[in-house]
């Protein structure tokens, strides 16, 4: 059995809005929207990977707040796990630095106005439920 590789996704929240990132690469994913994040490196805690990926992909300093229950299969051997996150005080605003060409802050009633990657949809539903319930982020 192949060991699962964890991919962390950030539900970066600000004032009840969720940050969505539009993929620019690879070609088969370009134009679709996702929660920013990336692979956990060997020996790295998922929360630390989330902070590192947000710094690399968006140029922000952020902190992981709480894990969204569940995990979602991606192409083998990857699985997605999502944490709510928030920008640290004094952080720059997010910019699409790697693998993305556009970012949008989406209010709850705007979440489904962008074409999400299929594998992110169940996680986004969970995040939306958290926003509706008044998440701590």
């Amino acid at each position: 059995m192949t060991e699962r590789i964890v991919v962390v996704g950030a539900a970066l929240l600000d004032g009840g809005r969720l940050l969505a990132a539009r993929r620019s690469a690879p070609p088969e994913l370009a134009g679709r929207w996702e929660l920013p994040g990336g692979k956990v490196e060997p020996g790295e805690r998922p929360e630390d990977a989330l902070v590192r990926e947000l710094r690399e992909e968006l140029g922000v300093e952020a902190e992981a707040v709480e894990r969204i229950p569940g995990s979602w299969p991606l192409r083998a051997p990857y699985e997605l796990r999502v944490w709510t996150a928030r920008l640290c005080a004094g952080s720059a605003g997010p910019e699409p630095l790697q693998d993305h060409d556009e970012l949008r802050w989406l209010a709850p009633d705007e979440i489904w106005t962008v074409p999400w990657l299929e594998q992110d949809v169940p996680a986004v539903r969970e995040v939306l439920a958290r926003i509706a319930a008044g998440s701590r982020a």
Side-chain angles (χ1 to χ4, degrees):
M1 184 172 165
T2 304
E3 187 173 332
R4 290 262 183 216
I5 297 173
V6 175
V7 173
V8 290
L12 191 57
L13 300 171
D14 181 44
R17 299 176 306 157
L18 173 67
L19 186 72
R22 187 172 68 185
R23 296 286 309 199
S24 58
E28 64 271 16
L29 302 180
R32 305 289 300 277
W33 294 76
E34 69 175 356
L35 299 172
K39 291 187 279 296
V40 176
E41 300 294 336
E44 188 176 37
R45 289 180 347 128
E47 296 90 337
D48 295 335
L50 187 80
V51 169
R52 175 184 52 76
E53 287 287 346
L54 290 174
R55 186 179 304 120
E56 291 172 1
E57 290 188 2
L58 306 177
V60 298
E61 294 301 322
E63 62 181 342
V65 177
E66 64 182 336
R67 179 152 176 228
I68 300 293
S71 63
W72 299 273
L74 305 173
R75 66 178 161 75
Y78 301 100
E79 76 176 20
L80 176 65
R81 297 182 189 168
V82 175
W83 275 257
T84 59
R86 64 178 156 232
L87 295 175
C88 294
S91 174
E95 299 281 337
L97 302 177
Q98 288 185 8
D99 300 325
H100 302 105
D101 62 3
E102 186 178 341
L103 303 174
R104 287 189 196 165
W105 288 104
L106 301 172
D109 64 343
E110 300 170 316
I111 297 284
W112 305 114
T113 63
V114 299
W116 291 93
L117 290 171
E118 283 112 30
Q119 62 265 31
D120 279 36
V121 168
V124 171
R125 282 191 184 115
E126 288 295 323
V127 171
L128 192 55
R130 289 277 172 150
I131 293 170
S135 175
R136 291 183 288 159

